[in-house]
Structure formats: structure tokens, C-alpha cells
């Protein structure tokens, strides 16, 4: 999922091929055309043996893809559903916050993909390199053409670390980590352990990201770690965020402002990380309100949340995406706006909610009903309310369980004030949620807490 920045804007309209688009911009039209011809010839020569057809193709075997494949392969039967997913390992990414804080290991957070994808679905262990929605097919990087009757796109988000100047090199040096990648998450805890004195800086980029709480959760964990280890008086802790608020939902933001005040944490709003200078251990931030202004901070520790986008193969497919590069689906039904046989789930979609695995759980039931309806020739009628959740871990034993809908209205499961820091919510996050993910969500059983919430509130919410 790590990727280089896109640097071009060529968008073949009918068929969306990343390789072709890159070459058009880099080496010129003639070179690209000749290679395109070679590609087409190669594809044609192998097409008779390499074409496959499925009733449903799921692109991406992460949280959303795996759950979708589990649901529909059990409904449609063996051999009817394919999942296209190149990764060997499936990670429970929400655990990486705890890995960065030394509470869990990276190994605890992953399982082989072969163990989590449903047995009744065919796993095509390849990367999708182009979509052809007008002709109901996708191409994989080994030249296979996979035809479908229905398509679910669940490609997640791409981490664009290299959009920050000097950052790839900085990851090679001590003190720089990122909970967002299995490559760098262990460096976060190393940085905490090796911290001596100076600035500990936590960043939030100027793009939508997955789990918008994670960039600050690790700051609260660091604060408690430094206190427990006698280093807090030597640490100046800063949250430099591109946002103009500490958190998007007022009810939880108010409590978080109290937490940062009480723990002497500095929040710098509208600060966007643009460069890291590992030799001088400096991080450069742009003032988003005065873009000509840049401010340099020295760091002893730097935790970077990278800019993110949908994977290039998707954002370069003009037929499928909105202006911002997200799979263009209807907000309520999750059906594509132009292709009724295409649905989306999870982080790569245009659904205007906070991107989390909890949101995926809230979407799975809607997708089950709506895609099922379309397969049966009916109109999709189930409506997604934008349910999402962010367990805002605020240390080694406390958590605020934020849950809310499209409009930022709290949609809390328990009949207590969830904006309060609580030990019970911390254990829910640390000890209970991983099983809900592995056993419930990925097997297609967990569709979010809607019915539990209703029961807990005596049917009133
Ligand atoms: P993913 O699970 O990321 O899956 C996308 C899949 O697509 C991947 O398996 C990838 O290999 C595959 N793929 C990519 N490109 C291609 C291609 N070209 N062809 C085929 N396959 C491809 N969520 C919560 O609910 N609570 C939390 O507390 C929480 N904390 C988080 C903390 C961190 C540090 C991180 C990183 C995430 C956190 N999340 C949390 C967010 C959660 O993990 C994601 O929102 C969730 O995984 C999204 O599911 P998805 O299926 O959309 O994408």
C-alpha cells in the first residue's frame, strides 16, 4: 500500500489503466503508445487462457473486502465470488496505536491473508492495475482479465509518505516513526524509549485520513509514557495539525481540549508538515492560513501521519471516481452513481464519514441488503446513516469512545456519557475489539452496534 505520489493527470476515459497514464506523462505519447500496443498484444495472446468470470468480484481484501466476500460467498456458494488482493498479510490496523505505545506487538496485529479470506471465495493474489466498468472487467498486474456481473471496490487508502520532502530518508534515522505503516510502527515505541529531551511532535496531514483520532491518541500515550518513566519534565509535547479543530465532533472535541490543557500539551492548529530535515532533526510546517509562512521546529521525536489518497489505480479511473479521487457512490445506498452493478465499501469511497473499521462494520449490513436487492432485480432501499466510531485512547488505561453519524451527532451505544475518559472503554478497545474484528467483522457477522444501541436505550435511539 505504500506508494509514490501521483504526478500526472491523464485519465483515459473508458478504460482506466495506471501504467498507461504514468507513461503518457513521463515519456511522451509516442513511447507510451508503442508500449500500450505491446501490452494489448500480450493481453490478447494470453486472454483465451487467462480470462475468468465471476458473479461478484471484490477488489481489496482488507476490512471491507474481506467482510463483503464472507457475506456473499456464503450466500452465492463456492466459485461465484473472487477477491483480488495482493498482500500476504492482513493487519488489524487499529491495533497499531497500541503497538506504537508498546502495549501490543506488530505480530499480534496480523494474520496470513490465506487464513482470513473466506474459503468459498477464490483468492486472486494479484494487484488490480485497471478498471473497465463499461465492460464489467478489471485487469490484474499479471495480465489476467477478470469479468464480473457485480463489483465491490474496497481498496482502502494509499499512504503518500514521499509527498513530504525528506521523510523517506528521515525514517532511516532515530526518533522518526509512524503508526500508520507496519514498516514504521515499531519505530514509534523505539522513539519513546530512547527519548532524552526536547520536542516530541505529532502531526496530522492536510488530506482526509483513516482514523482521524489516531494522530493524537499516540500523543496521549507518549505523555503518559514520559510521566511513568521520569522524562515528562524534559519533553515539550506538540500536536501540529492541519485541521482548524482538535476533533471534528464538538462533544468529544470539548473534552479533548480539557485533556490537552490538563496535561500541558500544545496544540498548533493549521500546521501542515511539508519537510523533514533528518541531519539537523528539524521539521518544517506550513501555516495553512498564510501559505507563504513556514515554521521550523527541532524534534527529538517525530510521529508522522502521512497524507493519504485512494490508490492510484482507482483515483486515475475518471469513470469511477469523484473530483477528489474517491469511488463515487451514493451516500445512503453505497451504490455507484453511474454503474448500478458497482458498489463501494470503506476508506476508498466518497461516503462522507470518518474513515474507520467501525464505519466499515456499519456499512456491511447496508451493502448486504442493497447489493442483494440489485442481484435480485430490485431497488436498493437500505440506508447508511454514516455511523462511525473512534476509540480515543488517552493513555495506558483510559479511552473516550466517540461514536457519531454523518452530521456529527453522537450515536453512542452505551447509556452513559461516552465523552468521559473511562477504563472500561479502554479494555473494550484493547481486549475486546480485536476479536470483534477477526471473528465478527471479517466473517461477515458483525454489522455494527445498531441493534445493541437500540436495546441499551430501550428502543429510543
Ligand atoms: P483496508 O483495510 O486498508 O484494505 C484495503 C485493501 O486493499 C488492502 O488489503 C490492500 O492490500 C488492498 N489493495 C490496495 N491496492 C490494491 C490493488 N491495486 N489491487 C488489489 N488490492 C489492493 N478504525 C477503527 O474502527 N478504530 C480504530 O481505533 C482505528 N484505528 C486506526 C489506527 C491506525 C494507526 C490505522 C492505520 C487505522 C485505524 N483504523 C481504525 C482505520 C481502519 O483500519 C480502516 O478504516 C479500515 O481498515 C478500512 O478498511 P478498508 O477495507 O476500507 O481498507
Amino acid at each position: 500500500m505504500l506508494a509514490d505520489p501521483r504526478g500526472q493527470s491523464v485519465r483515459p476515459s473508458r478504460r482506466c489503466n495506471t501504467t498507461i497514464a504514468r507513461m503518457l506523462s513521463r515519456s511522451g505519447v509516442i513511447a507510451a503508445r508503442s508500449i500500450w500496443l505491446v501490452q494489448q498484444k500480450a493481453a490478447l495472446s494470453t486472454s483465451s487462457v487467462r480470462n475468468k468470470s465471476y458473479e461478484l468480484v471484490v477488489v481489496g481484501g482488507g476490512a471491507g473486502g474481506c467482510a463483503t466476500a464472507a457475506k456473499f460467498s456464503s450466500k452465492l456458494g463456492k466459485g461465484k465470488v473472487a477477491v483480488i488482493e495482493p498482500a500476504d498479510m492482513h493487519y488489524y490496523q487499529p491495533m497499531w496505536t497500541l503497538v506504537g505505545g508498546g502495549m501490543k506487538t506488530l505480530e499480534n496485529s496480523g494474520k496470513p491473508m490465506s487464513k482470513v479470506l473466506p474459503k468459498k471465495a477464490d483468492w486472486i493474489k494479484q494487484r488490480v492495475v485497471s478498471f473497465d466498468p463499461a465492460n464489467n472487467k478489471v485487469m490484474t498486474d499479471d495480465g489476467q482479465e477478470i469479468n464480473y456481473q457485480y463489483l465491490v471496490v474496497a481498496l482502502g487508502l494509499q499512504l503518500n509518505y514521499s509527498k513530504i520532502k525528506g521523510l523517506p530518508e528521515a525514517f532511516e534515522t532515530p526518533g522518526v516513526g509512524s503508526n500508520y505503516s507496519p514498516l514504521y510502527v515499531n519505530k514509534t515505541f523505539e522513539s519513546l524509549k530512547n527519548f532524552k529531551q526536547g520536542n516530541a511532535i505529532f502531526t496530522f496531514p492536510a488530506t482526509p485520513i483513516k482514523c482521524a483520532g489516531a494522530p493524537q491518541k499516540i500523543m496521549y500515550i507518549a505523555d503518559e509514557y514520559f510521566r511513568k518513566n521520569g522524562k515528562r519534565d524534559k519533553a515539550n509535547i506538540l500536536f501540529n495539525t492541519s485541521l482548524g479543530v482538535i476533533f471534528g465532533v464538538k462533544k468529544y472535541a470539548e473534552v479533548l481540549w480539557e485533556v490537552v490543557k490538563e496535561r500541558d500539551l500544545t496544540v498548533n492548529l493549521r500546521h501542515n508538515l511539508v519537510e523533514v530535515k533528518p541531519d539537523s532533526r528539524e521539521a518544517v510546517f506550513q501555516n495553512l492560513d498564510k501559505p507563504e509562512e513556514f515554521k521550523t521546529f527541532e524534534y527529538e521525536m517525530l510521529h508522522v501521519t502521512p497524507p493519504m489518497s485512494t490508490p492510484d489505480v482507482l483515483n486515475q479511473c475518471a469513470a469511477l471516481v469523484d473530483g477528489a479521487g474517491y469511488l463515487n457512490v451514493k451516500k445512503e445506498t453505497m451504490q455507484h452513481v453511474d454503474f448500478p452493478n458497482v458498489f463501494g465499501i470503506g476508506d476508498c469511497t466518497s461516503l462522507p464519514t470518518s474513515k474507520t473499521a467501525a464505519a466499515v462494520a456499519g456499512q456491511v449490513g447496508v451493502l448486504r441488503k442493497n447489493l442483494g436487492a440489485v442481484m435480485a432485480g430490485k431497488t436498493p432501499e437500505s440506508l447508511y446513516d454514516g455511523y462511525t466510531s473512534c476509540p480515543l485512547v488517552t493513555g495506558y488505561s483510559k479511552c473516550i469512545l466517540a461514536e457519531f453519524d454523518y452530521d456529527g451527532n453522537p450515536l453512542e451505544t452505551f447509556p452513559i456519557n461516552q465523552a468521559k475518559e473511562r477504563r472500561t472503554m479502554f479494555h473494550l478497545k484493547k481486549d475486546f475489539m480485536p476479536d470483534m474484528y477477526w471473528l465478527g467483522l471479517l466473517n461477515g457477522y458483525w454489522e455494527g452496534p445498531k441493534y445493541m444501541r437500540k436495546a441499551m436505550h430501550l428502543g429510543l435511539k
Side-chain angles (χ1 to χ4, degrees), residues 386-401:
Y387 171 82
T388 188
S389 165
C390 185
L392 291 154
V393 173
T394 51
Y396 282 80
S397 61
K398 284 178 283 186
C399 177
I400 292 167
L401 184 59

Side-chain angles (χ1 to χ4, degrees), residues 353-415:
T353 193
S354 185
K355 297 177 183 301
T356 64
V360 167
Q363 293 159 14
V364 155
V366 178
L367 182 64
R368 171 175 60 80
K369 290 182 194 147
N370 286 347
L371 177 54
V374 172
M375 284 174 166
K378 296 183 186 148
T379 308
E381 284 178 350
S382 182
L383 305 179
Y384 175 49
D385 57 10
Y387 171 82
T388 188
S389 165
C390 185
L392 291 154
V393 173
T394 51
Y396 282 80
S397 61
K398 284 178 283 186
C399 177
I400 292 167
L401 184 59
E403 291 181 284
F404 48 95
D405 66 9
Y406 271 142
D407 301 319
N409 299 315
L411 216 50
E412 298 181 345
T413 303
F414 301 99

